[in-house]
Amino acid sequence: MSGTGGAMGTVQSVDRALDLLEALAGKGGEAGISELSAATGLPYGTIHRLLRTLLARGYVRQESDRRYALGGALVRLGGVAERMVGAWAQPYLEKMVALSGETANLAVLEGDFIVYVAQVPSPRRLRMFAEVGRRVLPHSTAVGKVLLADRPTGEVAALVERTGMPRRTANTITDLPGMLAELERVRARGYAMDLGEEELGVHCLAVGVHDGSRTVAAMSVSGPAERIETLDREELAEGMRRIAGDFGAELGGSL
């Protein structure tokens, strides 16, 4: 079944196995054969053969209802990868702190949750902290909005249906139409804002990190609302996009 595909010399069977894992992740970590076929365009027979190998290696498991889910072997890889990406991000986060004067964060979307994987604190006495390893729902954070904005509407709707949109503060967006409109604004301007939606008195601005083909992470600066509001958002976002672009280029060359 293996073979090379396309000018890039990729191995077709590896490409297809990764397509399945990404499709499972896009479905919240669990899907049936028909859903995987629709998401990847692969025939059922091919999917069955690939899943047998992934099952044997622990990267996929089969549930009692015969649906497939991401397996525990990915946790080991994911933990190591997150630590490495966090280490690579440090100098870029330091540049964001120098640019803004505020705490800089790196976050990724894991399943239905945002996970903070690296942080460089502001040198100021009053500063914001998001504990590395903290998991939050994406709808109330700037990093979450950036990562959702790169996903198709159907995927966003499915995620929200699974998790709900609990109100964190009076400013939190809690309905799907409101969130979809917000994501359109994020795409149009190239950055996302959290204006006290996760925590009152805290504002954040986030931009995406692209590896050449997709948004793989988000970088943000966060601080007290009164300080963030004094910054020129467009100028700050432009500088952050340059830094995130350099980081994405390093990631793309490492993947």
Side-chain angles (χ1 to χ4, degrees):
M1 175 174 160
S2 64
T4 58
M8 296 294 290
T10 57
V11 179
Q12 187 182 66
S13 57
V14 176
D15 267 341
R16 288 175 167 180
L18 293 174
D19 284 344
L20 286 179
L21 292 175
E22 291 179 355
L24 279 169
K27 297 293 184 182
E30 181 179 321
I33 293 287
S34 60
E35 293 171 280
L36 292 174
S37 181
T40 63
L42 296 173
Y44 283 28
T46 299
I47 292 174
H48 277 295
R49 289 194 295 273
L50 291 169
L51 287 174
R52 278 202 299 271
T53 299
L54 293 171
L55 280 165
R57 297 293 296 271
Y59 292 104
V60 166
R61 69 175 190 272
Q62 190 168 28
E63 305 287 44
S64 57
D65 59 2
R66 303 188 63 79
R67 289 168 64 81
Y68 291 88
L70 295 174
L74 291 169
V75 175
R76 181 180 69 255
L77 295 184
V80 173
E82 280 185 3
R83 289 193 293 274
M84 291 181 67
V85 170
W88 294 339
Q90 290 298 117
Y92 299 97
L93 293 174
E94 289 169 2
K95 289 180 182 179
M96 287 197 176
V97 173
L99 179 69
S100 66
E102 303 296 345
T103 296
N105 309 283
L106 176 73
V108 298
L109 184 63
E110 277 190 6
D112 292 343
F113 289 87
I114 293 296
V115 180
Y116 289 91
V117 296
Q119 181 181 91
V120 172
S122 166
R124 298 180 175 184
R125 183 171 298 178
L126 178 60
R127 56 195 179 189
M128 300 298 107
F129 288 97
E131 183 181 355
V132 172
R134 182 186 177 204
R135 295 164 61 86
V136 298
L137 291 175
H139 70 288
S140 57
T141 64
V143 287
K145 293 176 188 177
V146 163
L147 289 163
L148 289 183
D150 191 55
R151 270 58 179 183
T153 297
E155 191 175 316
V156 174
L159 185 152
V160 167
E161 184 178 350
R162 290 190 299 269
T163 65
M165 300 177 68
R167 185 177 297 281
R168 298 286 296 162
T169 75
N171 300 325
T172 307
I173 299 171
T174 57
D175 62 278
L176 180 59
M179 179 54 61
L180 294 178
E182 175 73 353
L183 297 183
E184 281 299 321
R185 289 189 285 269
V186 171
R187 296 183 190 105
R189 67 192 180 201
Y191 65 89
M193 294 294 300
D194 160 14
L195 302 175
E197 296 159 55
E198 173 67 17
E199 184 177 349
L200 284 176
V202 178
H203 284 191
C204 305
L205 188 152
V207 298
V209 177
H210 309 274
D211 69 354
S213 60
R214 58 203 169 120
T215 304
V216 295
M219 303 178 90
S220 70
V221 295
S222 58
E226 60 270 20
R227 290 208 308 247
I228 296 292
E229 286 303 303
T230 66
L231 300 173
D232 184 316
R233 290 183 189 176
E234 297 299 329
E235 182 178 333
L236 175 59
E238 182 179 352
M240 289 175 65
R241 282 194 295 267
R242 284 197 298 269
I243 296 168
D246 291 341
F247 180 45
E250 179 180 343
L251 282 180
S254 304
L255 297 175

